[in-house]
Amino acid sequence: MTVRYSSPVLPVPALRLLHELRLRGTLTAAAEALFLSRSAASHQLASLQRTVGTPLTERVGRTLRLTEAGAELAVRAERVLRELEEAGAAVERLQGTVSGMVRVGLVQTMAIRVLPHVLVDLRREHPLMRVESRSLTTEEALVAVPSGELDLAVVPSYDTAPLRLSGGLHQEGLFRDPVRLAVPAGHPLARHRGPVPVGSLAGERWIAGDRGSHFGRLVPSLCRQAGFTPDIVHRTNDYAVVAVLVGTDGCVALIPASSDVDRWPNVRVLEVEADGAGRDVVALIRRGSRDRPVVQAVLQALMAHGPPGR
């Protein structure tokens, strides 16, 4: 008699849940991303553990953490989901039309300066496409794209803090966006000609990005590189707020050229002299979806417009 052994069939929804848990860190966040109740997510996870016959998670205090087996299966789940998405992309290409929905996320400046032109192009060239968009931070995009919440995100990668991407993400460069120095109109440097060395700004009061954000690392990194610790009195990732504070509170700030804050009252923008004073604006795409016709259409429209006008 021949005895045949078969591997357990792993349900795709449960693998997707495990993938989300790895990305988001908590079962509650993973469940919310998949529009599940927490109890439904717990049931799905318990069922998957019974199927594989080994614990996939463990409690550490009040936190649910992936075991070694859970982490390994989550990595492989990402590959399975990528294969499924690539299969769907192949079918879309065979249809011969660019149609369907694509979800796009953009950081603030790109949502304001680039997205309107891209939407005009796509409506004209591909009327059967539906584009849904939202503004977001770089940190949010690094979770939203690999999870499938978004299909593409336009974000910066700073020289001082380059993006670290998971194996499931592809990065497509769009354009270079230099970093500039914003000063009050009455500042002694306001009429300065040529780049301003960061080292000459040691006595200034600074505005920086939020702690933990990629933008928030810009000022501390460049100032430390110049040999001093900046006196940061305000923190915000909103460039409109940066402009208002520069113009009214006498502070200085490092901002991307595309933010165009020199249009605000009492603000002057100067070139800055520092290694790594720049950023690349990139499109983040899942490797499994980058060949989808709708994703390629958005990417081509983004590249056609290049950097926002200075």
Side-chain angles (χ1 to χ4, degrees):
M1 183 179 69
T2 302
V3 179
R4 295 182 178 178
Y5 297 95
S6 60
S7 299
V9 177
L10 306 181
V12 171
L15 293 177
R16 192 177 298 279
L17 174 62
L18 199 65
H19 173 56
E20 289 286 347
L21 179 56
R22 176 171 171 259
L23 283 174
R24 300 178 185 275
T26 70
L27 187 59
T28 298
E32 289 177 354
L34 296 173
F35 302 100
L36 296 171
S37 67
R38 197 181 188 286
S39 61
S42 296
H43 177 75
Q44 204 172 91
L45 189 57
S47 177
L48 180 62
Q49 290 187 145
R50 286 194 299 271
T51 300
V52 299
T54 189
L56 300 176
T57 60
E58 59 185 356
R59 284 281 177 190
V60 179
R62 300 181 64 182
T63 303
L64 190 67
R65 187 174 66 182
L66 291 174
T67 61
E68 184 178 353
E72 175 68 20
L73 185 56
V75 170
R76 293 180 182 274
E78 182 179 32
R79 298 176 195 169
V80 170
L81 296 172
R82 187 190 314 164
E83 289 284 346
L84 291 172
E85 193 164 33
E86 288 174 352
V91 172
E92 286 184 35
R93 292 196 302 274
L94 291 172
Q95 291 174 348
T97 60
V98 181
S99 61
M101 185 174 72
V102 61
R103 294 161 298 184
V104 181
L106 307 95
V107 292
Q108 182 191 34
T109 49
M110 299 303 108
I112 295 171
R113 307 290 303 283
V114 175
L115 180 61
H117 305 291
V118 168
L119 292 176
V120 169
D121 283 0
L122 292 175
R123 278 195 295 269
R124 181 181 63 248
E125 300 294 332
H126 307 292
L128 297 180
M129 277 183 63
R130 174 184 171 89
V131 181
E132 294 187 358
S133 72
R134 56 173 281 208
S135 60
L136 79 177
T137 65
T138 301
E139 294 70 32
E140 290 170 334
L142 289 171
V143 174
V145 176
S147 76
E149 184 180 336
L150 294 174
D151 298 303
L152 182 149
V154 181
V155 299
S157 179
Y158 287 90
D159 295 348
T160 54
L163 296 178
R164 295 182 179 180
L165 305 183
S166 68
L169 280 182
H170 170 72
Q171 174 178 305
E172 195 79 43
L174 298 177
F175 55 85
R176 185 72 172 165
D177 193 13
V179 166
R180 301 291 191 227
L181 173 68
V183 301
H187 194 282
L189 288 172
R191 298 184 183 279
H192 181 84
R193 295 181 179 274
V196 177
V198 172
S200 68
L201 302 166
E204 300 289 344
R205 297 160 65 244
W206 287 85
I207 305 163
D210 293 336
R211 295 182 187 276
S213 70
H214 287 72
F215 179 49
R217 299 173 198 164
L218 179 63
V219 167
S221 295
L222 291 184
C223 291
R224 281 197 301 269
Q225 179 180 296
F228 69 95
T229 299
D231 177 18
I232 298 173
V233 294
H234 303 296
R235 286 188 178 272
T236 178
N237 282 354
D238 188 318
Y239 299 134
V241 177
V242 171
V244 169
L245 291 174
V246 168
T248 60
D249 198 37
C251 300
V252 301
L254 295 176
I255 45 86
S258 62
S259 63
D260 206 19
V261 299
D262 55 339
R263 295 187 302 172
W264 288 76
N266 302 318
V267 177
R268 298 292 179 269
V269 174
L270 310 167
E271 291 187 20
V272 64
E273 181 182 318
D275 292 334
R279 67 182 198 169
D280 294 310
V281 176
V282 303
L284 301 182
I285 312 166
R286 286 186 307 284
R287 293 186 181 277
S289 69
R290 62 178 172 174
D291 290 333
R292 287 185 64 202
V294 289
V295 170
Q296 282 298 311
V298 173
L299 190 58
Q300 289 167 17
L302 287 166
M303 290 180 166
H305 286 283
R310 304 280 192 254

